[in-house]
Amino acid sequence: METEDRKTHFIESIISEDIQNNKNNGAVVTRFPPEPNGYLHIGHAKSICLNFNMANRFNGRCNLRFDDSNPAKEKQVYIDSIQSAVHWLGFEFGTPFYASDYFDRLHDFAVELIKKGKAYVCSLSADQIREYRGTLTEPGKDSPYRNRSIEENLDLFDRMKKGEFEEGEHTLRAKIDMQSPNINMRDPIIYRVKKAPHPRTGDKWCIYPMYDFTHCLSDALEGITHSLCSLEFEDHRPLYDWILDQLDTPCHPQQIEFARMNINYTVLSKRKLQRLVEENHVDGWDDPRLPTLEGMRRRGYTPEAIRRFCDIIGVSKKDSRIDMGLLESCLRDDLNERAPRVMGVLKPLKITIENYPDDLTEELTAKNHPQNDDMGTRTLTFSKNIYVEQDDFMEDPPKKFFRLGPGREVRLRYAYLITCTDVVKDETGRVIELICTYDPQTKGGNAPDGRKVKGTIHWVNANDCIDANVRLYDRLFKDENPEKDKQDFIENLNPESLEELENCKLEKSLENILPEKAVQFERLGYFCLDSKASSKTGSEQNPVFNRTVTLRDTWAKMKGRH
RNA sequence: UGGGGCGUCGUCAAGCGGUAAGACACAGGGUUUUGAUCCCUGCAUUCAGAGGUUCGAAUCCUCUCGCCCCAGCCA
């Protein structure tokens, strides 16, 4: 199980050590703190798994906390989506927490800071603040408002709160050190006026706390012991600690940073994903080509595969670009075990078995899983007219091609050995039908005379199969690094990332399959019924299946070599 | 050229002074009614580089090089 072979990493080591030293009385409390301003993606899954796994591993708990301190960007739909995604991934979080629930206390902490002379109301404009901040190589200089009296600061802050000022007129700043080589310590803004209604607090507030002020205090209020975040916050840690050191808080959590995930052939940033959606390069946030959790779910990814992937990639502080192949490998591993096998033909080629009785229909038994008998069997029907895959026939096949060709014999999976006797073409010379003979002695697929047939192909009975549309996906970008040579990643989109096939034929047993339920179309890959297309369309429309991932294909690899 | 971080196989990643795990990928081979699965085998004399300490260094010290992050009233 994943809990057993999950590898230990530096964060787990730190926590273990803390427990041994009885730090926090041995408690472990983590949190996953998304801002509800977009949808979750596989990168978030890494953080979710890390936080929940650490909590579970050490008998602690992990809070889902919405970091909702910027009402200009946050929406209830995201809150809902995030909760359902975390749930789908397989984690229990009880009632979610919200930074906005702490707005009163955060305000009081700010007042406390002012009273201690550690914060002041600054009346510089945004541009001025930027100027005064200095640059990476030059120190900043003190704001002229830095030494306002505590009384004046208290009064001004109170009036900010009451809405007496417009956005940008005043800010509340921590009084730290404008000379600091760490820009985050140059009197960072901790409260700003923002006259926007909040999804949860409505119009109660017109001042909102900034991330640096909100996060550490929210952590402290929730009794978080280990606050895990990504590397770009490493520079903020001194500020995180500074704020908690000034105030009387329930505890002082330890911030630990780790590297965020990158995967080749895709992008993992809300900003870029948003652009793909808004410019209609993809069809919404749940487009199956996207690495969003909703997109992956619709594509057919299982939570188990994603969790496994997150365990396998580990946690470190090194910048990385993980091979998409690893994700797919985890997916196949999981799907191979859980997906029942069925047959479907994507690009049908009609076959007439000339020596098969005209109106006979036979029933054949097929295993639902070659290695797992517990998954049972199903009945397939067979008749004179069937469909096979166009790719499984070559008029002039090379020596290593084990499938159909003129005069060649192949096995129809679970059915009969057939031999191609004639090829029917249309006026343009395209092959439109194969005439074959079958060997009645080979029912089930074995020849009594023991003759070996190298190729086994899938097929579907033309008389009772289901018509379907199938969407095949390829990587979203052409280059493994979509921003290679500093080009706009949009330029790198793979124009062939989606292929929709409209005349597919599937075996009858797929008639009532549920959306998202994984099946393997033998020899073609893993598929699932699309949850969106199938629910919104009328009964007229064919069902739509998504290919989740192909099977490993060494034949394609061999072909590619020559 | 300020501050913070990182550099171990093509890609992730163990390793914490005692002589380079594992996974994916790749390459061979076996089994197979999915060219799938499964099973074998191979795949870093070397840890960004150079010095040094040590009986012994990927691990300690010094210097050099490379990459990433930070100048939102975003998180």
Side-chain angles (χ1 to χ4, degrees):
Chain A
M1 274 306 289
E2 41 191 313
T3 40
E4 285 158 21
D5 62 5
R6 179 163 51 242
K7 41 185 157 185
T8 63
H9 43 69
F10 79 100
I11 292 179
E12 182 161 355
S13 305
I14 291 172
I15 297 177
S16 283
E17 220 168 288
D18 287 346
I19 289 174
Q20 295 214 327
N21 298 331
N22 204 238
K23 187 177 172 183
N24 308 307
N25 295 314
V28 174
V29 184
T30 58
R31 100 271 91 112
F32 171 61
E35 182 191 13
N37 68 343
Y39 296 91
L40 260 27
H41 55 68
I42 180 88
H44 294 107
K46 174 180 181 177
S47 176
I48 295 169
C49 289
L50 208 213
N51 279 292
F52 279 93
N53 285 341
M54 287 305 95
N56 293 155
R57 166 97 170 67
F58 297 106
N59 299 310
R61 90 172 182 270
C62 177
N63 296 344
L64 169 62
R65 179 174 74 232
F66 290 100
D67 217 338
D68 55 350
S69 58
N70 184 359
K73 295 186 174 177
E74 297 146 8
K75 292 193 171 73
Q76 186 62 39
V77 279
Y78 300 130
I79 293 178
D80 297 338
S81 166
I82 289 168
Q83 290 194 57
S84 101
V86 174
H87 227 98
W88 174 72
L89 254 193
F91 297 105
E92 293 299 326
F93 51 81
T95 307
F97 293 72
Y98 295 85
S100 54
D101 283 348
Y102 311 135
F103 281 172
D104 283 304
R105 285 199 269 181
L106 258 18
H107 169 267
D108 294 346
F109 276 127
V111 169
E112 189 183 337
L113 220 43
I114 293 171
K115 286 180 176 165
K116 287 182 167 170
K118 301 287 189 176
Y120 62 96
V121 172
C122 181
S123 307
L124 251 23
S125 70
D127 284 344
Q128 289 170 317
I129 285 183
R130 192 179 315 118
E131 275 174 45
Y132 277 74
R133 185 154 37 217
T135 68
L136 294 179
T137 52
E138 302 161 291
K141 54 186 184 204
D142 289 358
S143 161
Y145 304 99
R146 199 170 199 261
N147 293 313
R148 285 215 251 233
S149 70
I150 289 175
E151 292 66 34
E152 186 181 6
N153 283 323
L154 251 16
D155 174 63
L156 251 15
F157 186 52
D158 191 54
R159 288 165 62 196
M160 279 170 68
K161 179 186 164 198
K162 286 178 174 150
E164 291 183 22
F165 305 115
E166 294 310 308
E167 293 185 13
E169 276 189 71
H170 306 284
T171 55
L172 183 68
R173 295 229 252 166
K175 191 190 281 190
I176 309 181
D177 178 10
M178 290 307 291
Q179 271 27 266
S180 174
N182 179 345
I183 291 182
N184 296 300
M185 299 299 270
R186 316 233 264 232
D187 289 9
I189 293 169
I190 57 178
Y191 259 94
R192 78 289 214 188
V193 174
K194 189 154 279 210
K195 299 199 168 171
H198 187 282
R200 303 194 76 250
T201 60
D203 54 10
K204 175 174 179 187
W205 298 91
C206 61
I207 54 171
Y208 292 94
M210 297 286 287
Y211 165 84
D212 286 304
F213 191 69
T214 309
H215 205 90
C216 56
L217 289 168
S218 299
D219 280 350
L221 291 172
E222 288 176 21
I224 301 298
T225 56
H226 302 269
S227 182
L228 315 181
C229 64
S230 45
L231 248 29
E232 66 266 32
F233 292 104
E234 212 148 16
D235 285 347
H236 294 243
R237 183 161 19 108
L239 179 52
Y240 183 106
D241 290 331
W242 183 90
I243 293 171
L244 294 180
D245 285 343
Q246 310 309 314
L247 297 162
D248 184 24
T249 58
C251 65
H252 188 138
Q254 177 184 7
Q255 174 177 305
I256 306 171
E257 310 83 9
F258 62 93
R260 55 197 310 166
M261 171 195 296
N262 293 293
I263 300 179
N264 61 13
Y265 295 104
T266 191
V267 290
L268 285 181
S269 86
K270 275 185 195 170
R271 201 206 99 235
K272 289 175 192 155
L273 292 170
Q274 188 157 14
R275 202 172 145 211
L276 290 172
V277 174
E278 282 174 356
E279 295 178 9
N280 292 310
H281 297 110
V282 294
D283 185 25
W285 282 95
D286 59 353
D287 187 301
R289 291 168 293 181
L290 253 22
T292 54
L293 261 15
E294 292 192 7
M296 294 174 78
R297 176 177 182 173
R298 191 172 156 204
R299 167 101 168 231
Y301 273 80
T302 57
E304 290 83 355
I306 294 173
R307 277 189 263 130
R308 175 75 181 145
F309 173 67
C310 290
D311 286 344
I312 277 184
I313 60 169
V315 179
S316 75
K317 299 186 72 158
K318 191 174 71 175
D319 290 322
S320 65
R321 185 183 297 281
I322 297 157
D323 192 341
M324 175 72 83
L326 182 56
L327 211 208
E328 293 181 339
S329 163
C330 293
L331 218 208
R332 289 192 184 101
D333 255 11
D334 185 56
L335 261 20
N336 176 48
E337 278 187 36
R338 73 192 329 131
R341 314 289 125 124
V342 294
M343 289 196 284
V345 173
L346 266 26
K347 296 175 183 167
L349 174 59
K350 186 179 171 190
I351 285 191
T352 299
I353 300 169
E354 56 182 346
N355 61 337
Y356 195 87
D358 283 350
D359 36 20
L360 178 61
T361 292
E362 282 184 279
E363 293 195 335
L364 304 163
T365 300
K367 297 175 84 167
N368 291 331
H369 191 110
Q371 279 86 230
N372 182 0
D373 290 339
D374 291 345
M375 290 180 80
T377 61
R378 68 190 186 286
T379 299
L380 261 22
T381 62
F382 188 81
S383 73
K384 189 181 183 77
N385 303 107
I386 61 171
Y387 291 110
V388 299
E389 206 69 57
Q390 284 172 24
D391 288 349
D392 286 337
F393 171 80
M394 281 184 89
E395 197 168 9
D396 186 19
K399 47 281 143 207
K400 285 288 189 58
F401 186 80
F402 304 145
R403 290 111 92 154
L404 271 176
R408 293 209 184 191
E409 182 173 54
V410 297
R411 175 184 298 110
L412 293 176
R413 176 123 223 203
Y414 297 122
Y416 290 99
L417 264 33
I418 60 169
T419 302
C420 175
T421 56
D422 203 4
V423 179
V424 183
K425 300 178 181 175
D426 65 12
E427 53 291 343
T428 68
R430 209 170 56 94
V431 177
I432 55 169
E433 182 182 354
L434 263 27
I435 308 299
C436 297
T437 58
Y438 85 116
D439 180 348
Q441 303 299 302
T442 59
K443 183 169 181 177
N446 287 311
D449 64 4
R451 70 180 186 275
K452 294 293 179 215
V453 180
K454 196 82 165 130
T456 299
I457 66 174
H458 59 278
W459 55 277
V460 137
N461 182 3
N463 298 151
D464 63 4
C465 62
I466 304 167
D467 288 313
N469 292 7
V470 173
R471 291 176 187 156
L472 306 181
Y473 303 104
D474 196 355
R475 14 203 66 152
L476 231 199
F477 294 92
K478 291 179 288 190
D479 198 275
E480 69 167 286
N481 175 6
E483 291 184 308
K484 189 185 180 191
D485 300 332
K486 298 206 160 55
Q487 67 176 316
D488 182 1
F489 67 102
I490 297 296
E491 305 297 312
N492 214 319
L493 280 165
N494 174 10
E496 291 166 359
S497 60
L498 168 64
E499 180 183 5
E500 176 140 16
L501 302 172
E502 299 200 320
N503 189 30
C504 310
K505 309 288 186 186
L506 311 180
E507 70 171 58
K508 187 94 154 93
S509 72
L510 254 6
E511 215 166 23
N512 297 312
I513 189 167
L514 268 14
E516 293 179 15
K517 160 76 180 161
V519 289
Q520 183 195 104
F521 290 3
E522 293 210 30
R523 305 210 306 135
L524 297 173
Y526 296 96
F527 295 77
C528 68
L529 183 63
D530 187 90
S531 50
K532 216 174 181 180
S534 308
S535 61
K536 73 174 177 197
T537 55
S539 51
E540 306 285 295
Q541 176 122 2
N542 287 343
V544 175
F545 281 79
N546 293 316
R547 177 155 70 188
T548 309
V549 65
T550 62
L551 258 27
R552 184 180 285 117
D553 191 349
T554 52
W555 167 245
K557 208 182 289 172
M558 282 169 69
K559 280 194 302 184
R561 260 188 248 161
H562 303 296

